Amino acid sequence: MDSRLSRLAAAGVAMGLSLATGAAVAAQRQTEPRQRALTIESLAGRDTFEFYCAPCHGPDGRGQGPVAAALSTTPPDLTMLSYRRGGTFPSKEIREFLTGTGRPIVAHGPGTMPIWGPTFQALDPSDRRVRIRIANVVTYVESIQSTSPGATAEKGAR
């Protein structure tokens, strides 16, 4: 009798482990596509901007993305950063702002924007790829600068 009970207990444990493992694998399969949907493979500045920045800042960078109306703070017009600084693009400040190492620049407002450096790091643990992504998006934002209010910038940088 003890032998039969032992086999039943062992079978129950094995079935429980199998179910738990299957549930973990199923959960992983459901999580992986969701995580992939949160990131893109391309490191190009324009692609990064369109995927991560345009929902708030708009595809043209002027602060009128589809999510902007739902935000408590209107996203700034990123095409005017150089103009507001006398023609000098604040690349170092933008990079520091994105990575969370610098203080918010005046043009950006109260700091309600996510700090993208740690976010990119969580989605892609490669330090090199995160640095490249941030450098490329900063270069892209520099490429969309307007020379005066109402002027349209050329979007050529990738």
Side-chain angles (χ1 to χ4, degrees):
M1 191 85 145
D2 287 321
S3 166
R4 187 172 173 200
L5 191 56
S6 294
R7 281 185 290 193
L8 269 172
V13 168
M15 183 181 284
L17 288 173
S18 176
L19 289 172
T21 303
V25 169
Q28 180 67 26
R29 286 185 183 141
Q30 289 175 349
T31 302
E32 286 174 0
R34 204 173 313 142
Q35 183 171 1
R36 279 195 297 265
L38 297 175
T39 190
I40 56 172
E41 194 60 33
S42 172
L43 298 177
R46 175 183 228 145
D47 294 343
T48 298
F49 185 89
E50 288 175 356
F51 194 81
Y52 297 105
C53 309
C56 297
H57 292 284
D60 61 359
R62 295 187 185 276
Q64 299 171 348
V67 176
L71 301 175
S72 60
T73 303
T74 303
D77 181 344
L78 296 180
T79 67
M80 299 303 297
L81 297 172
S82 291
Y83 178 77
R84 290 184 189 137
R85 292 182 150 243
T88 303
F89 183 72
S91 59
K92 180 181 178 210
E93 289 98 329
I94 301 282
R95 187 175 300 103
E96 289 174 349
F97 184 78
L98 289 172
T99 60
T101 59
R103 298 187 322 183
I105 58 175
V106 176
H108 201 284
T112 55
M113 185 177 99
I115 299 172
W116 286 106
T119 302
F120 291 149
Q121 191 73 46
L123 295 171
D124 184 350
S126 166
D127 288 334
R128 182 176 176 275
R129 285 178 55 87
V130 170
R131 283 192 309 274
I132 291 169
R133 183 179 301 282
I134 289 173
N136 289 349
V137 79
V138 170
T139 299
Y140 178 73
V141 171
E142 184 174 15
S143 79
I144 63 170
Q145 295 305 293
S146 296
T147 55
S148 64
T152 303
E154 285 295 316
K155 292 186 194 180
R158 299 233 0 123

